[in-house]
Amino acid sequence: MNKLPFVTREKVEEIVKTYPTPFHIYDEKGIRENAKAVQEAFAWNKGFKEYFAVKATPNPFLMSILHEYGFGCDCSSLTELMLSNAAGIRGEDIMFSSNDTPVEDYEYAAKIGAIINLDDITHIDYLENILGKLPEVMSCRFNPGGVFKMSNGIMDNPGDSKYGFTTEQMFEGFRILKQKGVKRFGIHAFLASNTVTNEYYPQLAKQLFELAVQLEKETGADIAFINLSGGVGVAYTPEQEPNDIKAIGEGVRKVYEEVLVPAGMGDVAIYAEMGRFMMAPYGALITKAIHEKHTYKEYIGVDACAVNLMRPAMYGAYHHITVLGKENEPCDHKYDVTGSLCENNDKFAIDRMLPKVDIGDYLAIHDTGAHGHSMGYNYNGKLRSAELLLQEDGSVKLIRRAETPKDYFATLDCFDVYEKMGF
């Protein structure tokens, strides 16, 4: 299958007159269509809500688009909570799922009415000591241990994960929370990352639904929602078959009717916290070829680097690359596509077959709409790029400006850097 970018060379040439490369750009039309598809896939569940994982793409313009479709936010830190609140997303439209949580994070989450999803049984007393009284709605994160298997093999190893309650702790924790005045309960689990199979959510749901039935039976807790969290991935390579959200929703519905409905729990709401699935395919990093190098290998040097997209350097992750304007030319040249960091792993692609790349060509690096800009950093004094929104009418909107040297030096207020640097 051919992966085509949502932006053309002609459009990029127009954009760079105002916003120079590198930049991340997002496809509003694609985001909206995907949001509608998710809502339709789970429309059978009256209480369904997608809590967009803010860590994937923490931009209020994008968060607000999703909120138009009734989506909330999944937050993991104080600043993410603050960002969601500032975007007008608050109360039970926020799920606060954190670990090793500081006092001030819990205080702020409670202040704005977010649903708190506890990561550990010891956090029950910790939270009560902070707040004085526990909220009436609480959730607990479940970790069954062992490995998580599906028909195509082992998907992940929850037993090695730092997150969540054990099975025994879930029962003990629910009893304690009920005794302390919690009225409505939720169950949350994240057992595998970036799955590209329609089996994951239904299989996870079955495990959580069966746990919910036992928890309600043995503890008397009123289980209001079950949060399938994230883990639904995207097809990064052209050969992969993308997930079918309609099939995934139908798979969860079948398990719901098999397990929860006969147990008298047909009113339980289904929640999700998809970040990657919601945004990754609808973002691209646009970068310009500025150097070529002919040594032991053929290199193309671009004006972006790992600070703009660290997944290839950090994980060896594959991101497809299109040389804009050359989509129909043969991929008969082998390149390493590199950035300028003083690290040899600063490569967007290794031994990648592409059309001949000329200096000045624009490259679109696909699927950067989640965990792209958000994972940026300032190593080597590099500055994070702008974020742009390609709107449905074809116009382009700046939704985050590029950093400047002044931003980089702004925290050095104990040093008269502004005078020395001429600001």
Side-chain angles (χ1 to χ4, degrees), residues 129-147:
N129 289 336
I130 294 168
L131 303 181
K133 182 182 178 182
L134 294 177
E136 290 193 355
V137 181
M138 294 287 296
S139 177
C140 295
R141 181 168 181 166
F142 173 55
N143 183 336
V147 296

Side-chain angles (χ1 to χ4, degrees), residues 56-88:
T57 324
N59 190 295
F61 290 90
L62 304 178
M63 293 156 58
S64 295
I65 289 173
L66 295 179
H67 193 51
E68 291 179 31
Y69 297 88
F71 292 5
C73 287
D74 167 52
C75 300
S76 58
S77 69
L78 174 60
T79 46
E80 288 184 355
L81 288 167
M82 294 171 69
L83 180 63
S84 299
N85 187 47

Side-chain angles (χ1 to χ4, degrees), residues 1 3 194 196 233-243 281 367:
M1 185 176 67
K3 285 177 75 78
N194 192 36
V196 188
V234 299
Y236 283 103
T237 68
E239 297 78 21
Q240 287 180 301
E241 184 70 26
N243 280 321
D367 302 315

Side-chain angles (χ1 to χ4, degrees), residues 26 175 231 256 388:
Y26 306 98
R175 289 189 183 98
Y256 189 98
L388 309 177

Side-chain angles (χ1 to χ4, degrees), residues 22 25 45 65 79 94 102 115 120 128 143 146 183 193 207 236 254 256 274 358 389 405:
I25 188 167
N45 183 258
I65 289 173
T79 46
I94 297 178
I115 299 173
D120 186 73
E128 187 178 37
N143 183 336
K183 306 296 185 187
S193 179
Q207 192 166 343
Y236 283 103
K254 287 180 180 178
Y256 189 98
M274 293 178 286
D358 297 303
L389 181 64

